[in-house]
Structure formats: structure tokens, C-alpha cells
Amino acid sequence: MKPSLSKTFIYVNLIHYPVHVLGPGDRAGLWTQGCTIRCPGCVAAYTWEFSGEYKMKVKEAADKILSFGSGRLTVSGGEPFDQPAAFNELLLLLRKGGIEDIMVYSGYPYERLKKLYSSALDKIDALVDSPFVEGAYSNEKWRGSNNQNMIILSEKKQLREKYMSYMADASAEAGRALQVASCGGKVYVIGIPDQRDVSGIKSGLGSI
């Protein structure tokens, strides 16, 4: 159930640096907490609930991301656009703070986001849209199911070319990879696993 939301606070599952496997180059990573889409087979079902323990001030989240000194960020979830006001405020602070490359995963289709949240989209350089579909296998390293799309929103020529190159390097052999991180006594698997490997990863690590 979605709680009362504002632009002052955002629910965050994890902020981590460096992230090597979700977008071009080494990046900061932000995973929001809370998702109302709840795709069957989701690898991150532990991020669905809007639990109070994950609530933090938007400025605090922005300051932590900016403290890494990286100009690149990938946002996943959870579902970032289930907290639209806070997410938009966070993006604004990050842009002002010098983040030049922002990639976002959302389970909502691009057309819906464009209609409802165009202000946030204006601050994003690349969007991977649409819900995860269990059984719709993809070998491409940047998407979990083959219905998802990467939409390059940036108008910067060099950044557009970098994302186009990233998309072209698409096969699992060419670069699908996972990264393991430990934070607060929890182990996180970062990246987009092949659907057929998820059950093995979960059984090996206990949670993902």
C-alpha cells in the first residue's frame, strides 16, 4: 500500500558506489523502495513494500549520491515513479549538483511517463521502460525481459553515442555481468541477471 508521499522524503532501499553493470562506465546507483506494479517473477520483490525504515530526506539522498564524486547515476527500484514528486525533486538536486548522466529503470511504459511526469523525464538521459515479463527472455545485458526498451532522451551528442554503443554491445557473451555488494549486513546482487539464473542466485545467496 502506498503511503502519503511528498517531495521532501523519498523511500530508498540502497545507494551504492561504484556500480559497473548498469549503464555505461562506473556509476553511482540508487534503488528506491516501494513498487505498486509488482511484476510476477520480479528479482527485486524485497523492494515492493513502502516500509518506514527506508524513508529518508530527499536532500540527504542527493548529498550521499553527490559525495561519491561520480557524474553518472543509474536509478532502479522498487519503482521510482511511484514517488513522483520526491523523485523529481531528487533529480533536480542531482542535476544542480553536477550529475551529467542519469539512467532510469521504470516498469511504466514511456508514453505513460511522458504524459504524467514529463518534468522528471526532462532530467533523465536514458530510460529503460515497461514491466518485467516472466518468460520473455532477453540476452541483452541492459534489460530483464525482451519487451523492455531503452529510450535515449539526452540531447547531448557524445552521451547519445555512448548509450547507442552500450545498446549495440547487447549479447550476454559481450557483457552481461553481475556485481555483489555488501551493505548494512545485507548482500545485494547488482545487475540484470538472465531470468534462467535467478532461482540459482536466490538459493545461493538467500535473497536478491
Side-chain angles (χ1 to χ4, degrees):
M1 184 176 184
K2 189 186 295 187
S4 177
L5 302 174
S6 74
K7 73 175 186 178
T8 305
F9 292 93
I10 188 167
Y11 290 79
V12 174
N13 180 273
L14 178 67
I15 296 173
H16 183 74
Y17 178 84
V19 173
H20 313 296
V21 295
L22 287 174
D26 289 348
R27 319 171 67 83
L30 165 71
W31 289 260
T32 60
Q33 180 73 24
C35 178
T36 60
I37 302 174
R38 305 194 171 196
C39 305
C42 173
V43 73
Y46 61 90
T47 65
W48 286 357
E49 298 299 329
F50 287 90
S51 176
E53 66 183 293
Y54 297 104
K55 188 176 181 180
M56 65 189 303
K57 291 182 179 179
V58 169
K59 188 178 185 306
E60 180 184 351
D63 287 346
K64 184 170 182 179
I65 293 166
L66 293 171
S67 74
F68 300 135
S70 174
R72 298 182 288 266
L73 171 72
T74 294
V75 182
S76 189
E79 171 50 56
F81 285 95
D82 274 353
Q83 307 178 68
F87 185 43
N88 186 60
E89 182 70 12
L90 177 65
L91 292 173
L92 178 63
L93 293 175
L94 294 174
R95 285 300 199 192
K96 287 182 177 179
I99 301 292
E100 298 179 348
D101 174 359
I102 299 177
M103 174 178 169
V104 176
Y105 280 84
S106 174
Y108 292 111
Y110 170 68
E111 290 303 323
R112 174 190 171 102
L113 297 177
K114 185 177 179 181
K115 181 178 179 180
L116 297 176
Y117 309 120
S118 60
S119 179
L121 286 184
D122 288 343
K123 303 175 184 72
I124 293 170
D125 296 291
L127 172 75
V128 180
D129 81 333
S130 297
F132 171 78
V133 176
E134 192 171 21
Y137 301 116
S138 172
N139 286 330
E140 293 178 341
K141 63 185 180 181
W142 52 268
R143 60 181 181 173
S145 57
N146 64 21
N147 62 300
Q148 295 173 322
N149 313 286
M150 182 177 285
I151 301 155
I152 303 173
L153 301 172
S154 176
E155 296 181 355
K156 301 173 186 175
K157 182 175 183 291
Q158 287 187 333
L159 196 52
R160 291 184 64 87
E161 290 175 349
K162 186 177 295 185
Y163 273 102
M164 289 174 68
S165 176
Y166 177 71
M167 292 168 66
D169 183 19
S171 73
E173 293 76 18
R176 186 186 287 274
L178 299 176
Q179 179 181 345
V180 178
S182 178
C183 183
K186 297 180 180 178
V187 176
Y188 296 86
V189 176
I190 297 171
I192 309 296
D194 188 297
Q195 291 192 38
R196 290 155 287 204
D197 296 333
V198 168
S199 60
I201 294 171
K202 286 184 175 179
S203 64
L205 294 177
S207 64
I208 178 172

